[in-house]
Amino acid sequence: MSWIPALSGVWPWVVLACVPVGIVLLYFLKLRREPVEVPSTYLWSRTIEDLHVNSLLQRLRNSLLLLLQLLAVLLAAFALFRPGIRGEANSLGRMVFLLDTSASMQAPAGDAKGPSLSSPGEGGRSRFEEARRQIGDRIDTMTDSESAMLVTFSDRAEVMQAFTSDRNRLRDALDRCEVTNRPTDILGALRAADGLANPRRTSEIGDVNDVQVADAMPAELILYSDGNFGDVTQFSLGNLQPTYVAIGSDAVRNLAIVSFSAQRDLQNPDQIQVFATVLNTGTSDESTEASLYIDQNLVDAATVDLEPEAQTGLSFTIESSDAVALRLQLDGEDDLKVDNEAFAALTPSGLVSVLVVTPGNRALELGLTTPKSQQISACEFVTPDYMETDAYQKRASSGRDDLIVFDRCRPKAPPLTNTFTMGALPNDGWKWKTESGALTLIDIDRTHPVLRYLELYSLLVFSGRAVEGPAGSLTLVESDVGPVMAIASRDGYQDLVLGFPLVSEDESGEMQANTNWYAERSWPVFLFNVLRNLAGAAQSSGAPSYQPGQTVMARLENVLESVEVVRTVGQGRAESLGKQPVGAGGVVEIVSTSQPGNYQLIAAETDQVVDRFAVNLFDARESRLATQPTVELGYESVEATEAGIEVRREFWRPLLIAVLLLMALEWWFYTRRLA
């Protein structure tokens, strides 16, 4: 038998103890009657008895009413102690509750032995709600000598309540827990629990003066999850004794969109190509319609028929030259809704802005004005003396251009945009490694997008130098004297440096070729790659996609002071997430990305959309809803179990019913006595 008092503090119990005392005192009191004159007092025995009432108190006599009243108060007081019993539980005295709050926990709890076909919205309980209920039942069974800790985890861990024996605090922390749309990573939660059971040392183990921060204290690790996370091998449980309480069902229904993207055709910018992948992560055959929406208008649809663990690709072609918000929706009902929608966005079809600073270079001009290059870029050619004007200073500090090309020249200060420098060094972070001389190219990095589809081994370079970039720079082309092409990051921008010019001047000032590259087919391809990847033509029309909860770093024009973040979901619903200040270099940090949807950054000064991005789950592991029978935790396979701990049986409800029956019985005796 155990007790969980319902009243807290001393004074409520003192008041309760005074109740039976007050009842008894009432039976000691004598009733003071009014005098009544009658012809003969011998005919009125009760009146004769009342004539002797001349004091306040009387002797306590046997009274069934008194006994019933005292018994009712005693049972009510007994019920307030909440007596109960529970089965024997092998408890270590300290428990760590790990509660999975990832997206898969939104699925119905179902029956572990049968299909999960009911949804939480139809009266069924979700996995998260079921796990929270089981944790609440376990908290109710805790004794005063036990303590517990509550940790939630999705792709990150959060300690909701540190170790405490206060059940009210644990319940309050449990009420604050919320399910998320994020993927699962349990390692952070395990490390949070590891701090108690496996305390760290203050110095090296071999140090004779070493002392422990705290004694190692075993703890029971109780994991409430569906097990849909990767194996945890780089972790040692130590004194943690794991128990895996499986939440969910082995038979599930779920179709998931695991990828969704859109891009404009570079040959025809008005044409949009949309691609998606749908995966059947359930245990039964599924069939549904996939509907494509542009700005909430249905434009196309496709039928999806998939067997378990099968996937299919969908493709759509639509026409639009404007900025659009795309949404792909699976119309069928299944066990998880968050992966039934996917979002993407496109900016208006347009050209990237490129400023070319050169004293004269016909080969460079021809390479940047090919038909393909003109479809994606607008190039402006100026001489080096333009860099001394106020117009250039304003242009370089505003980030107006997507790329600036410096041919045999360099600015006094690096501009706030990406740069491509040929035959010179962009800033003080770069330096020459060798003197000028003939070069032979021996290796190129074809994996980098700038050098894709290139063959450069046949090039002749009459004069060039090896370059050395700042820390973190990447060598793209290696020669016999060292790197001759490298790229490095600079405060969110990229600088590409080529160690030799395309043309040079002889002693008489006449222009002459320094390499035969301009006559090779690889030259216009190289410049096209630079426009696509360094100027951003490849990304100018497609908005990036992030997973829920990720921090988004957007780089805007630094002339903006703040932007408003707006999220758009299905049925045209738009929600403002507040204003965000624009930091140094035009960087905006957005952390309110917990919900899937299309996000827009709107300039506060002009109300124009300056950037877009999408948030989608896109996690095949998270969409696989079948409960895992075992999980790998720290080189140990943990079998799934049921709740395991017997729910506490409390007797306060029967006691209160007995109190009501005694009060009814006491009323019956009282009315019969008066009759």
Side-chain angles (χ1 to χ4, degrees), residues 304-623:
V304 177
D305 293 297
L306 291 175
E307 298 177 351
E309 290 303 318
Q311 70 178 25
T312 184
L314 304 177
S315 62
F316 307 92
T317 301
I318 55 179
E319 298 283 340
S320 179
S321 60
D322 300 325
V324 293
L326 301 172
R327 177 170 62 94
L328 183 65
Q329 177 179 314
L330 300 180
D331 299 331
E333 293 290 335
D334 55 25
D335 288 341
L336 189 62
K337 295 182 179 180
V338 68
D339 58 8
N340 290 346
E341 282 187 321
F343 302 87
L346 292 173
T347 59
S349 57
L351 306 177
V352 293
S353 175
V354 180
L355 177 66
V356 184
V357 184
T358 175
N361 190 334
R362 182 62 177 168
L364 178 62
E365 183 177 352
L366 290 175
L368 290 174
T369 56
T370 62
K372 280 193 174 182
S373 297
Q374 288 182 328
Q375 288 178 352
I376 62 175
S377 66
C379 298
E380 180 181 351
F381 294 84
V382 297
T383 58
D385 54 7
Y386 176 73
M387 293 188 293
E388 303 297 329
T389 64
D390 293 338
Y392 169 79
Q393 299 299 329
K394 184 177 180 180
R395 188 170 183 170
S397 61
S398 65
R400 165 185 164 183
D401 296 295
D402 299 296
L403 174 68
I404 298 182
V405 180
F406 296 101
D407 178 28
R408 293 166 290 158
C409 61
R410 56 174 288 179
K412 294 180 180 179
L416 297 182
T417 188
N418 297 335
T419 65
F420 173 35
T421 305
M422 297 186 298
L425 297 178
N427 54 59
D428 296 335
W430 294 78
K431 62 181 180 180
W432 298 114
K433 293 184 62 177
T434 62
E435 297 296 329
S436 297
L439 301 177
T440 300
L441 306 185
I442 59 176
D443 190 25
I444 64 174
D445 183 3
R446 288 192 180 90
T447 62
H448 197 277
V450 170
L451 298 181
R452 191 172 298 168
Y453 314 120
L454 297 185
E455 178 61 59
L456 303 179
Y457 295 118
S458 62
L459 297 188
L460 300 176
V461 180
F462 302 112
S463 178
R465 298 183 185 182
V467 299
E468 181 178 351
S473 60
L474 177 65
T475 299
L476 301 183
V477 178
E478 187 83 22
S479 72
D480 56 345
V481 297
V484 294
M485 183 186 294
I487 190 169
S489 297
R490 166 183 50 86
D491 298 331
Y493 306 102
Q494 288 187 307
D495 296 320
L496 178 65
V497 177
L498 181 63
F500 59 88
L502 221 63
V503 295
S504 61
E505 295 181 356
D506 57 16
E507 296 179 356
S508 62
E510 294 293 331
M511 197 73 65
Q512 63 181 7
N514 186 51
T515 176
N516 66 337
W517 195 5
Y518 69 90
E520 299 286 334
R521 294 181 178 179
S522 60
W523 173 245
V525 176
F526 169 72
L527 291 180
F528 187 74
N529 288 343
V530 170
L531 294 177
R532 280 176 53 86
N533 298 280
L534 202 60
Q539 293 83 24
S540 62
S541 61
S545 178
Y546 302 89
Q547 285 190 313
Q550 281 188 317
T551 299
V552 177
M553 305 294 292
R555 183 167 61 85
L556 311 174
E557 296 182 0
N558 62 352
V559 295
L560 299 176
E561 296 182 356
S562 64
V563 293
E564 182 183 9
V565 183
V566 177
R567 181 175 69 94
T568 304
V569 294
Q571 290 78 46
R573 299 190 305 272
E575 175 187 8
S576 175
L577 303 180
K579 293 185 177 181
Q580 296 286 338
V582 179
V587 177
V588 180
E589 181 177 341
I590 302 102
V591 297
S592 302
T593 60
S594 59
Q595 299 296 327
N598 277 311
Y599 289 71
Q600 297 179 343
L601 303 184
I602 302 176
E605 294 83 359
T606 61
D607 290 334
Q608 293 181 346
V609 178
V610 295
D611 202 359
R612 299 170 181 263
F613 64 91
V615 174
N616 299 285
L617 179 60
F618 290 167
D619 192 311
R621 181 189 297 274
E622 198 67 27
S623 295

Side-chain angles (χ1 to χ4, degrees), residues 115-426:
S116 175
L117 300 179
S118 62
S119 65
E122 297 173 351
R125 183 182 289 117
S126 70
R127 297 180 178 183
F128 173 75
E129 293 169 343
E130 174 63 20
R132 190 163 61 173
R133 182 193 66 80
Q134 293 189 19
I135 294 177
D137 291 342
R138 185 62 184 89
I139 292 174
D140 290 340
T141 65
M142 288 176 54
T143 63
D144 293 337
S145 62
E146 292 179 323
S147 61
M149 174 183 184
L150 178 60
V151 181
T152 61
F153 68 94
S154 52
D155 61 343
R156 65 201 67 178
E158 182 178 1
V159 178
M160 303 300 296
Q161 175 60 55
F163 274 101
T164 181
S165 58
D166 190 336
R167 288 179 290 269
N168 290 329
R169 288 188 177 182
L170 289 170
R171 293 189 192 98
D172 291 342
L174 189 62
D175 291 339
R176 295 197 306 271
C177 297
E178 295 181 351
V179 69
T180 68
N181 295 311
R182 300 174 178 176
T184 313
D185 183 4
I186 195 176
L187 183 58
L190 291 176
R191 287 174 175 170
D194 181 54
L196 172 81
N198 308 308
R200 298 299 178 258
R201 305 178 71 89
T202 58
S203 61
E204 297 296 330
I205 296 179
D207 191 348
V208 295
N209 296 321
D210 179 42
V211 295
Q212 289 280 56
V213 176
D215 294 333
M217 304 178 67
E220 186 179 0
L221 182 71
I222 309 177
L223 169 62
Y224 295 84
S225 173
D226 52 20
N228 290 314
F229 50 82
D231 296 342
V232 182
T233 56
Q234 304 300 320
F235 180 80
S236 177
L237 288 171
N239 291 319
L240 293 172
Q241 298 187 9
T243 300
Y244 167 39
V245 181
I247 308 294
S249 173
D250 296 332
V252 295
R253 295 180 52 191
N254 190 46
L255 287 176
I257 303 174
V258 295
S259 70
F260 181 53
S261 62
Q263 63 182 21
R264 295 189 185 275
D265 189 343
L266 293 178
Q267 303 297 331
N268 182 11
D270 292 342
Q271 188 175 85
I272 300 175
Q273 297 175 335
V274 183
F275 306 95
T277 302
V278 180
L279 173 65
N280 184 2
T281 62
T283 55
S284 60
D285 296 347
E286 298 293 337
S287 177
T288 187
E289 291 290 326
S291 302
L292 178 65
Y293 294 85
I294 293 185
D295 296 330
Q296 315 313 317
N297 297 318
L298 178 64
V299 294
D300 207 344
T303 301
V304 177
D305 293 297
L306 291 175
E307 298 177 351
E309 290 303 318
Q311 70 178 25
T312 184
L314 304 177
S315 62
F316 307 92
T317 301
I318 55 179
E319 298 283 340
S320 179
S321 60
D322 300 325
V324 293
L326 301 172
R327 177 170 62 94
L328 183 65
Q329 177 179 314
L330 300 180
D331 299 331
E333 293 290 335
D334 55 25
D335 288 341
L336 189 62
K337 295 182 179 180
V338 68
D339 58 8
N340 290 346
E341 282 187 321
F343 302 87
L346 292 173
T347 59
S349 57
L351 306 177
V352 293
S353 175
V354 180
L355 177 66
V356 184
V357 184
T358 175
N361 190 334
R362 182 62 177 168
L364 178 62
E365 183 177 352
L366 290 175
L368 290 174
T369 56
T370 62
K372 280 193 174 182
S373 297
Q374 288 182 328
Q375 288 178 352
I376 62 175
S377 66
C379 298
E380 180 181 351
F381 294 84
V382 297
T383 58
D385 54 7
Y386 176 73
M387 293 188 293
E388 303 297 329
T389 64
D390 293 338
Y392 169 79
Q393 299 299 329
K394 184 177 180 180
R395 188 170 183 170
S397 61
S398 65
R400 165 185 164 183
D401 296 295
D402 299 296
L403 174 68
I404 298 182
V405 180
F406 296 101
D407 178 28
R408 293 166 290 158
C409 61
R410 56 174 288 179
K412 294 180 180 179
L416 297 182
T417 188
N418 297 335
T419 65
F420 173 35
T421 305
M422 297 186 298
L425 297 178

